[in-house]
Amino acid sequence: MKRRVTFITPPGKEIPDDALRLTKDGLGVKDLKAIREERFTFEYDELPWFAKLLVGETRELYIRFDNGKDYTPGWKGPFSSRLPPGVHAFVVPKEDSELKQLEMFLGSSSDIQSVSTTYDRFTKVYASDPTATKLHLLLDNIAARICKGVDRSCRDDIVNLGNAPSVDLTYDPTSKVLDITAAWTTYGSGTTPNEGWKTYIMPYTPTGRVEVGIFSHDETAEEEEISLRGQIAVVGEDEEFKPTLFAFPARHHSRSNIFTADFQRPTGLHPKLEVTLALGGKSPGDTCSLNAYFAIPQPFFVDPYQLEDTSLLKSLGITALIALEGETDLEAPGYEMKKWGSTVVLELDTQHYFDNRVKDHLPMEFTLPLHLRYLEPHSSKSNQTATLPWPTVFWACYSEEWDKMSASPFDRRMLGYEEYFPEHTYFYHLTPQLINRTQAVSKLEVPVLVSKDGHLIEQATIGIIAIGFIWVVAKTLLSLLGVGNKQAVVHQKKE
Amino acid sequence: MALTVGSLLALSTVLRVAFLLYGLYQDATSPFKYTDIDYLVFTDAARYVANSASPYERATYRYTPLLSWLLLPTTWAPQAVWFSFGKILFAAGDILAGYLIIQVLQIYGFSTSRAIKYSSLWLLNPMVATISTRGSSEGLLGVIVIALLWAVEKRYVVLSGALLGFAVHFKIYPFIYAPSILLWMPWDAPSSASLTAKLRAFVTRDRMVFTLTAFTIFMSLNNLMYAIYGHPFLQHTYLHHLTRLDHRHNFSPYNILLYLKSAPSYTQSHGSIERLAFLPQLLLSAVLLPFFARRNLPSTMFAQTFAFVTFNKVVTSQYFMWYLVLLPFYLPHSSLMRQPAKGVTALLMWVATQATWLALAYQLEFEGKSTFWPGLWAAASSFFLVNCLILGTVTNDIQD
């Protein structure tokens, strides 16, 4: 097992003298306001049985959890790439593997989106609710195995990874290691955001080591680069921090732009998600395009044919539908669906914004037209809540230094949308702004039939049809037999 | 109003051209499209065909491949002109149907001016003009059905059979006309003859030719399409109608029941009575009503179609086109015309129950209100009962 802890302090803020206390035994951290990343690396042999089964059915495995909370607007530096709230898994299954363990791990709402036979193609799996997965169970199992007979903090640290806003599980079959990376993306301890970190970092075994780095982001860094200045130490070995400064080209950056989203009301059966973006009137560069990546769970779906209409797209603030994968059946009700939902990548129409809205200081806007599936009748309620994660919105720009990006110690690949952009792309992410809400999702009520009157509905329908049928049959027979037509005959004669 | 046939056709052409141009304008300027979604399905399918692919690669294409072949010109350049070809074709079909209505009415001894009056129910009907210029193919079916009626009345037996076979391949439901046409054909058996002799007399040369032609054309088209497109043709054109769930709201009285029972969680039910929905529908439209054929064939066909649509498990307003095209033949004999109060009441009830349904469906679809029960159900049931009342009147009106 290896552990790496990284703190990134807010720009321009000095670290208080008493915040860090390094000794040969450990590092005491007190009231340190910083974004924090924890990275644990486990050898295959260290893993518990459950985790071995999970990674054993794959050639490559990336599972990402995002809770859709705890964003820091204006943040610049590493850990900029977030995903739509939910669970996003990208795997290369072993031949013949049906990914049963993965399905179980992700819980009942998951969807194996495209199990492909060629192993160079990734299979994507999604699930809506990170808390419904077995992440905590997995961490518990790992901790139980690794932390046997060592300090209690070992267990706490590992289990606590599951509480971070963003958690990545990565398995590399070549080196046979499982990486678990957790990022707390606000300047605080996560649970109480205004409080700094208070923790004691120490090796769990006498020979163990923990790499720790405490940095601030140098905002004067060159475009495409992240520059970190600070101090590093190996806890368990060093008694003093070493000052350090390093810079590297990075694939993902933040831009100090925010966006917010909500449904147009009333929502009906064809809801429209309106996204409002504060772009500040500027694009990061001439080569950049603005894009949105949606993970859309059913009961929502988009109509690919509707999104082919360029004049409609223009009115929605969209330039093109770049990708649509997953479930696109246009008619089936939700309860007939086997798959989890679909993913959408849109290129947004910034031209209209720059030409028409910037001068009036209006924000950029775009709208995603969605449709709802029919949901199951409910025994007592006349509606069911449906939740749509907000998209991630980013500028995709052409990079000169793209081939060096994987050297970044924080590089993150396989997020679900990079494959639709050229290899030499780097990304500027916008930050969701949560106003009057705690999570980057929008909810609506889907009207459903109340089934408690089911019997009555059945009987009344049969009754109505019987009445209508008998009436028509009676009139027909009477007419065929020539009864009761005298009046009509008389009328005809008069004519 | 002294209209000539020529000026009526000119007027209905002007009406359709105006609707078409208005539609182009609305499509170009508004995100709310005039063009029917189905037209996009047809034209997409035609594009697949143009690229030597199957029209069934377009999701929700549930029609004969013939339709996508007919619409191949919609894929030609310049699109600004050719894309509307299908709408022009459908609208032309409307007008031809209207012209044939006049021809057939004249066969029945209508004066030209009276034929013009009744055919304008179709030709100058804004609903008909809207539906075809929005790109719905139902008008095309109208012209086939009227052509069938015309051929039957002209005693073109082979042509009648061919048209029927073609119509059934195109949209299944015209098969209900087969028994009425067969019963309408002359049956020369003395009333004193024995039952077997009567039955033997029924099997005439004309009936054989008509049946065989219809069957041959129907099966040849199916075989041809199956040879080209294989199982997807069968699945989407025919089998789909057996397996579809029909849970989305529509005018049918069965609709809420079907939604309720399609849900796996609904287990209180005792039986699946809705599986027998075809029974009342076919008993009326294909068994009982054809016995009116000897009295008045087109009125019988009107009643059959009306019953078929009323008792169908899915009812949308496009299906009303199916019987509307036959209305000019029934109305002259109708008590709804002779007794204006009765006629106006029937029309008002037909419109009012439909409008109630539409208002509730709007609340569901656009305001997200759960109006399924009792609202939508009651509206659909009332509309159904009104249709049954009208149907009762229709059957009472068909006299010798």
Side-chain angles (χ1 to χ4, degrees):
Chain A
M1 176 182 72
K2 281 194 289 188
R3 181 182 178 200
R4 183 184 85 181
V5 189
T6 309
F7 293 102
I8 314 264
T9 57
K13 281 243 172 104
E14 290 294 312
I15 303 172
D17 289 339
D18 60 346
L20 302 168
R21 177 181 289 181
L22 181 65
T23 67
K24 203 169 179 335
D25 302 324
L27 168 68
V29 176
K30 203 179 84 183
D31 202 25
L32 178 66
K33 293 219 161 132
I35 279 175
R36 174 178 178 177
E37 186 204 53
E38 284 274 358
R39 180 169 177 176
F40 281 81
T41 308
F42 304 101
E43 304 285 333
Y44 179 80
D45 293 332
E46 293 175 306
L47 294 175
W49 168 75
F50 175 34
K52 276 182 180 164
L53 282 179
L54 180 65
V55 301
E57 61 184 13
T58 64
R59 290 172 190 277
E60 266 179 82
L61 172 66
Y62 303 84
I63 310 177
R64 310 186 188 285
F65 300 79
D66 200 303
N67 73 353
K69 297 174 185 171
D70 310 315
Y71 298 96
T72 299
W75 163 250
K76 289 191 171 181
F79 323 125
S80 295
S81 60
R82 294 279 299 265
L83 284 168
V87 188
H88 309 245
F90 309 98
V91 279
V92 180
K94 277 194 180 150
E95 277 157 51
D96 307 332
S97 168
E98 289 173 29
L99 299 176
K100 289 284 167 222
Q101 298 296 327
L102 182 65
E103 252 189 299
M104 199 190 79
F105 176 70
L106 293 181
S108 55
S109 61
S110 68
D111 161 37
I112 308 262
Q113 203 171 66
S114 60
V115 177
S116 54
T117 46
T118 52
Y119 53 83
D120 55 358
R121 262 204 62 200
F122 273 82
T123 293
K124 300 179 179 182
V125 187
Y126 298 89
S128 308
D129 184 6
T131 61
T133 67
K134 310 275 188 304
L135 176 62
H136 278 274
L137 180 69
L138 180 80
L139 295 171
D140 263 347
N141 282 349
I142 292 176
R145 200 182 142 105
I146 299 269
C147 306
K148 210 172 269 172
V150 301
D151 193 274
R152 201 187 147 66
S153 63
C154 171
R155 197 191 145 73
D156 293 346
D157 287 341
I158 290 176
V159 169
N160 193 38
L161 296 174
N163 300 325
S166 161
V167 183
D168 284 2
L169 263 63
T170 310
Y171 182 70
D172 176 4
T174 325
S175 51
K176 297 191 97 177
V177 292
L178 175 70
D179 260 342
I180 302 182
T181 307
W184 283 265
T185 44
T186 48
Y187 296 124
S189 61
T191 43
T192 41
N194 292 325
E195 246 173 63
W197 292 100
K198 184 170 188 254
T199 181
Y200 189 69
I201 298 166
M202 59 165 218
Y204 306 126
T205 59
T207 56
R209 299 288 178 268
V210 184
E211 286 178 51
V212 179
I214 295 135
F215 309 104
S216 66
H217 179 234
D218 182 357
E219 304 226 318
T220 61
E222 286 193 31
E223 195 103 315
E224 295 187 47
E225 287 203 340
I226 285 179
S227 168
L228 297 177
R229 180 192 298 274
Q231 43 197 346
I232 56 169
V234 178
V235 178
E237 209 171 86
D238 299 340
E239 287 183 67
E240 265 181 50
F241 280 105
K242 294 181 197 122
T244 182
L245 167 68
F246 64 111
F248 46 88
R251 204 176 312 275
H252 296 282
H253 300 259
S254 308
R255 211 168 149 73
S256 56
N257 298 143
I258 52 167
F259 72 93
T260 179
D262 208 355
F263 289 117
Q264 282 178 15
R265 307 280 166 180
T267 50
L269 296 178
H270 309 281
K272 295 183 173 70
L273 188 78
E274 273 185 341
V275 184
T276 308
L277 312 108
L279 296 182
K282 284 197 292 282
S283 155
D286 296 338
T287 65
C288 303
S289 64
L290 188 65
N291 303 272
Y293 170 65
F294 286 86
I296 301 170
Q298 71 106 338
F300 298 96
F301 68 97
V302 297
D303 177 351
Y305 301 108
Q306 182 186 20
L307 296 182
E308 273 175 6
D309 179 350
T310 43
S311 70
L312 174 75
L313 288 184
K314 209 170 165 52
S315 74
L316 297 170
I318 299 168
T319 308
L321 171 68
I322 294 180
L324 167 57
E325 284 187 14
E327 192 54 81
T328 53
D329 189 296
L330 305 174
E331 295 166 321
Y335 41 89
E336 287 283 304
M337 296 281 87
K338 305 261 179 323
K339 292 184 178 177
W340 166 89
S342 55
T343 53
V344 167
V345 182
L346 301 175
E347 184 180 333
L348 306 178
D349 182 10
T350 47
Q351 199 56 49
H352 178 260
Y353 163 73
F354 286 123
D355 292 349
N356 300 300
R357 297 179 67 90
V358 172
K359 61 177 186 293
D360 298 327
H361 303 286
L362 292 169
M364 156 101 190
E365 281 176 349
F366 80 93
T367 305
L368 179 68
L370 293 146
H371 307 275
L372 282 171
R373 299 190 184 285
Y374 268 49
L375 298 186
E376 284 217 43
H378 190 275
S379 57
S380 57
K381 277 185 358 195
S382 64
N383 48 51
Q384 305 226 34
T385 306
T387 305
L388 183 74
W390 288 5
T392 53
V393 183
F394 51 84
W395 292 94
C397 307
Y398 174 74
S399 162
E400 299 281 351
E401 296 182 274
W402 61 275
D403 50 339
K404 297 181 206 133
M405 283 172 177
S406 43
S408 158
F410 306 108
D411 195 29
R412 206 178 178 212
R413 302 297 302 266
M414 292 309 299
L415 297 172
Y417 51 80
E418 311 109 296
E419 64 193 83
Y420 305 112
F421 298 89
E423 181 69 25
H424 50 68
T425 304
Y426 72 109
F427 301 91
Y428 270 118
H429 294 272
L430 278 69
T431 309
Q433 172 85 313
L434 308 183
I435 304 163
N436 296 329
R437 65 178 81 228
T438 56
Q439 205 187 4
V441 298
S442 286
K443 294 177 188 247
L444 57 76
E445 297 300 317
V446 185
V448 295
L449 173 66
V450 182
S451 63
K452 73 166 189 291
D453 293 329
H455 273 305
L456 185 60
I457 293 173
E458 285 190 54
Q459 284 158 5
T461 304
I462 294 165
I464 291 286
I465 293 189
I467 291 171
F469 179 66
I470 291 167
W471 171 257
V472 177
V473 169
K475 293 289 279 185
T476 302
L477 290 177
L478 286 175
S479 174
L480 279 174
L481 299 172
V483 187
N485 294 321
K486 289 186 183 108
Q487 204 183 10
V489 175
V490 171
H491 269 285
Q492 270 187 339
K493 277 190 183 149
K494 271 187 197 160
E495 275 185 24
Chain B
M1 192 167 56
L3 270 175
T4 63
V5 174
S7 55
L8 173 65
L9 294 180
L11 199 58
S12 42
T13 308
V14 168
L15 179 72
R16 281 158 181 78
V17 169
F19 276 52
L20 192 74
L21 292 177
Y22 169 76
L24 290 177
Y25 168 78
Q26 183 175 324
D27 281 355
T29 53
S30 164
F32 296 99
K33 301 300 177 195
Y34 178 80
T35 300
D36 195 88
I37 301 251
D38 285 343
Y39 190 67
L40 304 178
V41 176
F42 306 154
T43 50
D44 280 353
R47 221 167 293 136
Y48 279 109
V49 173
N51 294 322
S52 322
S54 161
Y56 300 105
E57 290 190 24
R58 173 54 161 95
T60 71
Y61 185 77
R62 306 262 157 70
Y63 313 87
T64 164
L66 285 176
L67 185 59
S68 60
W69 296 2
L70 270 177
L71 296 187
L72 271 176
T74 60
T75 64
W76 297 348
Q79 274 288 290
V81 176
W82 283 105
F83 184 72
S84 299
F85 171 82
K87 299 179 181 179
I88 296 168
L89 182 75
F90 299 151
D94 271 5
I95 295 169
L96 181 58
Y99 176 73
L100 288 175
I101 290 172
I102 299 174
Q103 297 300 305
V104 179
L105 283 172
Q106 284 177 330
I107 296 177
Y108 293 131
F110 277 59
S111 67
T112 310
S113 68
R114 213 159 157 239
I116 285 174
K117 184 175 119 190
Y118 282 106
S119 68
S120 56
L121 275 172
W122 172 263
L123 278 170
L124 298 182
N125 191 325
M127 180 177 146
V128 174
T130 310
I131 287 181
S132 58
T133 53
R134 287 186 66 203
S136 165
S137 64
E138 309 300 341
L140 221 45
L141 212 68
V143 72
I144 302 172
V145 169
I146 302 302
L148 170 67
L149 182 62
W150 174 82
V152 169
E153 289 292 354
K154 285 277 188 185
R155 313 292 198 270
Y156 298 143
V157 178
V158 175
L159 182 61
S160 314
L163 282 168
L164 181 67
F166 180 73
V168 177
H169 167 78
F170 214 91
K171 203 101 207 185
I172 310 177
Y173 87 85
F175 78 90
I176 58 175
Y177 303 138
S180 20
I181 293 169
L182 287 173
L183 284 170
W184 169 87
M185 286 175 166
W187 189 354
D188 298 317
S191 51
S192 57
S194 71
L195 188 64
T196 42
K198 270 186 183 165
L199 281 178
R200 209 169 299 136
F202 184 75
V203 188
T204 59
R205 193 173 166 276
D206 277 1
R207 285 197 176 88
M208 299 276 286
V209 170
F210 173 77
T211 310
L212 282 176
T213 321
F215 188 74
T216 310
I217 292 290
F218 175 65
M219 286 316 288
S220 312
L221 284 169
N222 288 347
N223 280 322
L224 176 67
M225 297 309 161
Y226 188 78
I228 302 176
Y229 298 112
H231 185 72
F233 157 69
L234 272 189
Q235 176 58 44
H236 294 290
T237 316
Y238 300 125
L239 302 179
H240 166 75
H241 297 285
L242 302 175
T243 53
R244 59 192 290 186
L245 278 172
D246 298 320
H247 60 287
R248 286 187 166 264
H249 56 281
N250 63 68
F251 290 114
S252 165
Y254 292 103
N255 175 245
I256 304 298
L257 181 71
L258 290 174
Y259 169 32
L260 176 73
K261 299 191 78 168
S262 70
S265 66
Y266 184 72
T267 51
Q268 316 169 23
S269 174
H270 302 302
S272 300
I273 196 81
E274 72 283 355
R275 295 229 174 119
L276 303 176
F278 69 93
L279 270 181
Q281 180 188 29
L282 293 188
L283 265 176
L284 274 174
S285 61
V287 179
L288 216 47
L289 294 174
F291 284 100
F292 285 110
R294 299 266 335 137
R295 295 185 180 176
N296 186 326
L297 181 61
S299 291
T300 304
M301 288 165 68
F302 171 77
Q304 286 178 281
T305 321
F306 200 92
F308 188 90
V309 172
T310 299
F311 285 84
N312 204 19
K313 286 209 290 189
V314 195
V315 181
T316 69
S317 46
Q318 288 178 9
Y319 295 4
F320 302 157
M321 292 274 279
W322 296 356
Y323 56 72
L324 216 54
V325 75
L326 292 162
L327 186 65
F329 300 99
Y330 158 68
L331 223 46
H333 310 285
S334 171
S335 59
L336 301 175
M337 282 290 277
R338 285 194 306 272
Q339 304 164 30
K342 190 173 165 187
V344 169
T345 310
L347 181 65
L348 282 181
M349 288 200 300
W350 191 80
V351 170
T353 45
Q354 220 180 118
T356 312
W357 186 95
L358 285 169
L360 290 162
Y362 180 88
Q363 288 180 5
L364 169 68
E365 187 120 22
F366 296 103
E367 295 174 3
K369 289 186 187 143
S370 173
T371 52
F372 296 109
W373 169 266
L376 270 177
W377 178 88
S381 297
S382 315
F383 181 58
F384 168 78
L385 289 178
V386 167
N387 278 316
C388 287
L389 276 177
I390 294 172
L391 192 53
T393 307
V394 173
T395 60
N396 197 45
D397 283 343
I398 308 179
Q399 296 302 326
D400 284 317

